Amino acid sequence: MKHFLWSLIALCCINSTVVKGQDPTAYKWEVSGKKIQDKVYELTFSTPGNNKWQLYGANESISEVPSVEIELADSSIQVHKPFKESGNSTSFKNPVFDNATFKVYEGPASFTATVTFTGDVPAVLLGKFRYTYGKGDEFYPLNEYAFSAPLEGGVDARPVIDVATFDLKNPVNPCGDEDTGGKSLAGIFFIGMLGGFIALFTPCVFPLIPLTVSFFTKKSQDKKKGIANATVYGLFIFLIYILLSIPFHLVSGVNPEILNNISTNVWLNIFFFLIFVFFAISFFGYFEIGLPSGLANKIDSRSGMSSLGGIFFMALTLAIVSFSCTGPILGSLLAGTASEGAWPLTAGLAGFGLALALPFALFAMFPGWLQSLPKSGGWLTSVKVVLGFLELAMAVKFLSNADLVKQWGFLKREVFIGIWVLVGILIVLYLLGKIRFPHDSPVKKLSKTRIAFIVVFSAATLYFIPGLTNTQSANLSLISGFPPPLCYSVYKNPVNCEKGIEPLHNDYKEALARAKKENKPVLLDFTGWACVNCRRMEENVWPDEKVSALIKEKFIIVSLYVDERRPLPAAQQFEYDNKKTNTKKNIITVGDLWATFQSVNFDAVAQPQYAIISPDERILTKTKGYTPSAREFAQWLECGIDAYNKKEQQTAAK
């Protein structure tokens, strides 16, 4: 909340001169730690200063918000105030805050804080130091400096991430997946196509099909030229949507885990929830979403060119003017595949672009088909409103992701399904004409198409209703993975919450110890609280009689949650230097540890991902991703058992 308040101050109170922008190199900091007594240390942050700026004193209060803060992931560590300050300070009256007087430093300065530990003192303390600077009516709060401070006598309890004995390319048995990807690219491509076809039947896109095709066929010198131009036009639409994925490749190239971190970030999921509600209200007709009109006009002015450049700008114009309808659908696609990586995003966008492009090329080749297209009318508005309701259903999923990651417990399974039931009822009432939105005309007669959709959404709603009960029929297998897990229930004893397989949670060392004691291989389950396919595996594949028996009797299973936001103890937090990517990463939370462990040792960032290893940390098989076939998964488990027996025989022979 403090950070939010400061953001408001920066936005609302600062003069327009701030537009020049914050200088990230304005201040250089060094941090040192000094032991005062047992479990009590001093942290000193020193800077040579910058004569172009004024650094606010460490103990200043600006609109009841401190000018300097130290953030540590371990909440048990106490930071005592006030800070000790050293350096030549002066007084400054800030015009932004009613000429209030503040202590500032224009040269070298040092701020020292006393820190007390209740648990083990870490060998290196990680944290964030936030400071404030400015000059005149320029003001820059909440500038972040991530630090690592060595502490005398600290405990080095850093967990091992690089396992030297792992050899992913040479498992004992070569069974498993050929790669470490998650969903197939083909599957995501077709999901993208489905989104594109849905976008075609919106008021922003559908009326443009006959208009654009007629333009190409009538304005061209001959029929062949018109077909060629329309085909190129469709190709450009396809390419434009693929180009949208390029930034994700650049980002994932820096850190392969970043897309997964984005998709499971609590506040980003809440942001997505709000955005999708915003999209839904737009679809209901209360306002239009659009890109800047100046940009649209500028692009449109270039589309009159007769060259390939002109055709490209026509395609770009379509992408821009249709954004109010395609944006929410495209946003659903991007958000839904964010954790899968850059190439799946490209595949989804390619499918979306292809679905939008196909009609323009096909109708140009076969102009007679235009006569069979239904006339534009009120039905397009109905499609848009129904999509608005579906956006609301999608929004709930993002809110559920945040709830599951933080384990808040306010959006339990039955609450989630209840909201979907309500959305289904509202869709049916809307299609029956009982609910109307702006720009809707009264429903005088139910067409066959409308009746068909009423039947479909009524059937879906009736299917969801048993999910509200504590009965066997509440296990809605068709939507498995989308609602919260069966055990995440409002009922004290949910009947569908089977305790057949009980993995160890995030305790890799304990799993190895048990495996060695019981002479069994270890089944690593890389999973996540917000992972849809993980829940599908747990609810549809693990309960299979053969799979369940194999896991319980032949393996020690441990679930490693890559989105677990619980911080590690301070002594286990450290800065990891990834030699493969030549990057550094702070391992602060349990999720940081297991996400990095997975990417470094198994070249994977998608979940679920399964690996079978021996108690002495040898990889026994290739890894296995999402496998909806219980038979196939059981075969892989049997192959892992065979590999373990082979290894034991080889060890005994030596």
Side-chain angles (χ1 to χ4, degrees):
M1 182 58 70
K2 291 178 182 177
H3 300 164
F4 179 69
L5 287 173
W6 261 7
S7 297
L8 288 180
I9 292 170
L11 287 173
C12 301
C13 304
I14 300 173
N15 191 283
S16 60
T17 56
V18 178
V19 175
K20 289 186 293 185
Q22 179 179 352
D23 182 2
T25 62
Y27 283 88
K28 301 293 184 182
W29 292 93
E30 290 185 0
V31 59
S32 60
K34 180 182 177 182
K35 186 174 182 179
I36 303 302
Q37 59 187 65
D38 186 39
K39 295 193 175 184
V40 180
Y41 288 76
E42 283 187 344
L43 290 180
T44 299
F45 299 87
S46 303
T47 177
N50 187 331
N51 55 18
K52 296 180 181 179
W53 300 104
Q54 294 174 325
L55 178 67
Y56 282 72
N59 299 302
E60 299 304 295
S61 178
I62 307 168
S63 293
E64 299 185 0
V65 178
S67 57
V68 168
E69 284 189 324
I70 295 176
E71 178 186 327
L72 303 172
D74 191 335
S75 59
S76 67
I77 305 173
Q78 297 179 352
V79 179
H80 301 282
K81 296 181 180 180
F83 293 87
K84 297 177 184 177
E85 301 182 31
S86 64
N88 295 323
S89 64
T90 60
S91 296
F92 165 66
K93 289 186 177 181
N94 194 322
V96 175
F97 299 101
D98 297 326
N99 288 317
T101 302
F102 300 101
K103 180 193 290 187
V104 296
Y105 294 86
E106 296 180 343
S110 294
F111 302 150
T112 300
T114 302
V115 178
T116 302
F117 296 85
T118 54
D120 291 335
V121 176
V124 178
L125 178 64
L126 301 182
K128 295 176 182 178
F129 173 72
R130 292 190 173 91
Y131 59 96
T132 302
Y133 74 93
K135 194 161 190 178
D137 54 3
E138 294 186 58
F139 178 72
Y140 299 114
L142 296 176
N143 301 276
E144 185 177 293
Y145 165 62
F147 69 87
S148 58
L151 300 180
E152 177 189 352
V155 177
D156 188 354
R158 293 178 296 179
V160 175
I161 287 182
D162 297 86
V163 181
T165 53
F166 281 171
D167 187 356
L168 189 61
K169 295 182 179 179
N170 297 292
V172 176
N173 278 351
C175 50
D177 293 340
E178 292 302 317
D179 57 55
T180 55
K183 298 177 184 176
S184 70
L185 293 181
I188 294 177
F189 176 81
F190 285 114
I191 291 173
M193 281 193 71
L194 177 61
F197 285 130
I198 291 173
L200 283 173
F201 294 97
T202 59
C204 313
V205 180
F206 188 82
L208 298 178
I209 297 175
L211 183 66
T212 307
V213 171
S214 297
F215 172 82
F216 281 119
T217 55
K218 292 179 181 179
K219 294 293 183 181
S220 300
Q221 297 174 353
D222 54 60
K223 183 179 179 181
K224 288 185 178 180
K225 185 68 173 177
I227 292 174
N229 286 343
T231 303
V232 171
Y233 177 74
L235 178 62
F236 280 144
I237 293 173
F238 174 68
L239 291 176
I240 285 168
Y241 283 98
I242 290 181
L243 289 174
L244 291 176
S245 69
I246 289 179
F248 294 94
H249 286 273
L250 299 177
V251 168
S252 63
V254 175
N255 180 359
E257 303 159 37
I258 194 165
L259 293 175
N260 187 35
N261 292 339
I262 289 172
S263 67
T264 58
N265 182 277
V266 173
W267 303 113
L268 194 57
N269 271 284
I270 292 175
F271 173 74
F272 281 144
F273 164 73
L274 296 174
I275 286 294
F276 274 57
V277 171
F278 179 76
F279 284 157
I281 296 171
S282 171
F283 272 166
F284 292 152
Y286 290 104
F287 56 83
E288 290 290 332
I289 302 174
L291 294 175
S293 59
L295 175 63
N297 293 335
K298 189 173 182 180
I299 297 298
D300 187 50
S301 67
R302 298 197 176 197
S303 65
M305 300 161 54
S306 58
S307 63
L308 286 176
I311 297 175
F312 172 80
F313 281 108
M314 283 188 67
L316 191 55
T317 300
L318 171 72
I320 291 174
V321 300
S322 64
F323 182 78
S324 63
C325 292
T326 60
I329 300 170
L330 202 56
S332 304
L333 175 65
L334 293 174
T337 58
S339 64
E340 298 297 322
W343 282 112
L345 281 171
T346 300
L349 287 168
F352 188 90
L354 181 62
L356 282 184
L358 273 176
F360 296 97
L362 290 176
F363 282 111
M365 294 177 186
F366 308 99
W369 290 2
L370 289 173
Q371 304 302 319
S372 61
L373 280 179
K375 301 289 184 182
S376 299
W379 65 274
L380 288 174
T381 302
S382 298
V383 169
K384 197 173 179 181
V385 170
V386 170
L387 287 176
F389 282 116
L390 295 178
E391 289 287 330
L392 286 179
M394 281 291 295
V396 177
K397 176 58 182 170
F398 290 105
L399 189 60
S400 174
N401 287 346
D403 178 59
L404 287 169
V405 169
K406 296 297 288 186
Q407 294 288 286
W408 285 323
F410 70 82
L411 197 57
K412 295 293 183 70
R413 180 182 175 89
E414 291 76 18
V415 177
F416 181 103
I417 294 174
I419 295 173
W420 275 25
V421 168
L422 178 61
V423 169
I425 292 172
L426 291 174
I427 291 175
V428 172
L429 291 175
Y430 172 77
L431 292 174
L432 288 171
K434 304 300 181 182
I435 299 175
R436 289 170 58 187
F437 289 93
H439 313 304
D440 273 336
S441 55
V443 178
K444 297 179 180 179
K445 182 181 179 182
L446 297 178
S447 65
K448 292 181 180 179
T449 303
R450 185 177 284 260
I451 291 173
F453 276 105
I454 290 172
V455 171
V456 169
F457 284 108
S458 297
T461 304
L462 290 173
Y463 175 76
F464 296 151
I465 288 175
L468 304 174
T469 65
N470 190 20
T471 63
Q472 291 291 337
S473 58
N475 187 355
L476 308 177
S477 59
L478 291 180
I479 58 169
S480 177
F482 282 94
L486 292 165
C487 297
Y488 200 67
S489 172
V490 297
Y491 299 107
K492 290 185 178 179
N493 297 299
V495 298
N496 292 312
C497 180
E498 297 182 4
K499 298 294 185 182
I501 298 174
E502 297 186 35
L504 294 169
H505 279 250
N506 297 314
D507 200 337
Y508 177 73
K509 286 187 177 180
E510 175 63 18
L512 292 177
R514 285 195 191 180
K516 186 175 184 179
K517 181 180 179 181
E518 300 180 25
N519 193 27
K520 293 179 180 179
V522 177
L523 177 60
L524 301 180
D525 165 31
F526 292 101
T527 184
W529 294 111
C531 173
V532 171
N533 283 343
C534 302
R535 302 293 87 76
R536 286 175 174 166
M537 289 292 294
E538 294 162 9
E539 295 173 10
N540 297 333
V541 176
W542 287 15
D544 176 81
E545 185 176 349
K546 187 172 184 179
V547 171
S548 179
L550 285 170
I551 293 177
K552 287 191 291 185
E553 297 171 13
K554 302 294 185 180
F555 292 91
I556 300 297
I557 181 171
V558 56
S559 293
L560 307 175
Y561 284 80
V562 302
D563 57 1
E564 174 66 67
R565 299 303 184 219
R566 177 170 49 86
L568 292 163
Q572 295 181 25
Q573 298 175 13
F574 67 103
E575 183 180 62
Y576 172 69
D577 188 359
N578 191 331
K579 303 298 183 183
K580 291 182 179 179
T581 60
N582 196 29
T583 57
K584 294 183 178 181
K585 173 186 178 182
N586 284 346
I587 306 299
I588 301 295
T589 67
V590 174
D592 291 336
L593 173 63
W594 299 128
T596 308
F597 185 88
Q598 181 190 12
S599 66
V600 168
N601 294 299
F602 297 98
D603 292 337
V605 293
Q607 295 78 44
Q609 201 76 33
Y610 303 98
I612 300 175
I613 64 172
S614 63
D616 59 349
E617 297 183 293
R618 303 280 178 172
I619 294 179
L620 300 176
T621 70
K622 294 181 179 180
T623 58
K624 196 72 175 166
Y626 173 60
T627 309
S629 168
R631 180 173 173 272
E632 181 182 345
F633 194 71
Q635 288 175 343
W636 176 72
L637 292 174
E638 289 174 332
C639 181
I641 296 168
D642 178 65
Y644 179 68
N645 293 333
K646 281 183 183 179
K647 182 188 174 300
E648 290 298 290
Q649 291 170 5
Q650 292 170 359
T651 303
K654 293 178 181 179

